Amino acid sequence: MASGTRTRRWSRTALAALLAAGAVACQAAPAAEPVTGVVTDTAACPRVPLLPPTAVPTSPEVMRLADLLEPLTSGTYAAVYGTQIADHRAGRLALCVTDTARGEELLAEVARRHPEAPVARVSLYRARYSQRAMTEAMDRIDMRDGAYAHPIYQLAPAADASGVVAESTAAGVASAELRARLEAATGGVAVSLRKGPQQEVPIGPKAAG
């Protein structure tokens, strides 16, 4: 009987030690520390002209940083990532996200994975839409010839992540009905129209028949 009592006491002690060890092992990894030097701006993503095809960004560090961001912006943080603009100001990277708090988490994670990354060069801005939302919106637009009263030549996410840009004729750009129909197709994602180059056949397969 005494032996049984000792066994039960030993079991309780061992269980307590096991639980304590398990509690330590199961603790979450420390959260990544906030990155100093990052500028968070609640303003909308800056509107800047696209670089001409021959232009080369002047900051290799910024381009390296953009490469390090890519696995996260296309993965864990794809739901908030809008766009990024290298050298929007000399030596800085504009990172536009729909949620700046999540954007700060993204940068902290990059700094944790790559301590050498120049994350302090980032300026965070607010994007109206994520890249994923804009891509899904474009997929919902009917690109077949004759789908709308005016042709749609090309679609692209807006450079400042403010919606979808659709290229059409001058008459199409002036058509409020076309814009309304396109925004109905996108599910409410904003569409801006601009005059595109004339093409023989709008992009996309022709309607059957």
Side-chain angles (χ1 to χ4, degrees):
M1 187 69 175
S3 176
T5 301
R6 282 196 300 274
T7 300
R8 285 195 295 272
R9 287 177 179 170
W10 179 86
S11 298
R12 289 171 183 166
T13 302
L15 179 59
L18 181 62
L19 290 174
V24 172
C26 292
Q27 285 179 350
E33 292 293 325
V35 179
T36 58
V38 172
V39 176
T40 300
D41 195 328
T42 57
C45 189
R47 292 174 178 267
V48 296
L50 296 177
L51 292 173
T54 56
V56 178
T58 58
S59 304
E61 299 90 347
V62 171
M63 298 308 297
R64 165 67 175 156
L65 180 56
D67 290 340
L68 295 177
L69 287 170
E70 197 280 331
L72 290 171
T73 57
S74 63
T76 305
Y77 294 89
V80 299
Y81 170 71
T83 191
Q84 55 186 307
I85 306 165
D87 285 334
H88 79 296
R89 290 176 183 161
R92 296 195 68 81
L93 177 76
L95 178 61
C96 303
V97 290
T98 58
D99 182 336
T100 53
R102 290 277 286 157
E104 290 171 355
E105 291 176 12
L106 186 163
L107 294 176
E109 180 61 19
V110 171
R112 185 187 69 79
R113 296 185 183 188
H114 308 281
E116 78 288 356
V119 180
R121 290 178 177 267
V122 172
S123 295
L124 278 174
Y125 292 91
R126 179 179 48 81
R128 186 173 180 184
Y129 301 104
S130 68
Q131 193 75 204
R132 175 187 290 174
M134 292 185 290
T135 300
E136 290 175 350
M138 290 189 296
D139 289 342
R140 291 192 289 267
I141 292 177
D142 190 345
M143 294 294 289
R144 292 176 299 175
D145 188 13
Y148 306 102
H150 305 280
I152 302 298
Y153 298 134
Q154 184 169 298
L155 298 170
D160 61 354
S162 61
V164 172
V165 177
E167 292 187 351
S168 185
T169 60
V173 171
S175 173
E177 179 185 0
L178 177 59
R179 178 179 286 103
R181 288 197 61 192
L182 292 176
E183 290 185 345
T186 65
V189 172
V191 175
S192 59
L193 291 161
R194 71 182 181 194
K195 189 175 183 300
Q198 185 68 39
Q199 300 181 9
E200 290 185 10
V201 180
I203 296 173
K206 287 191 174 185

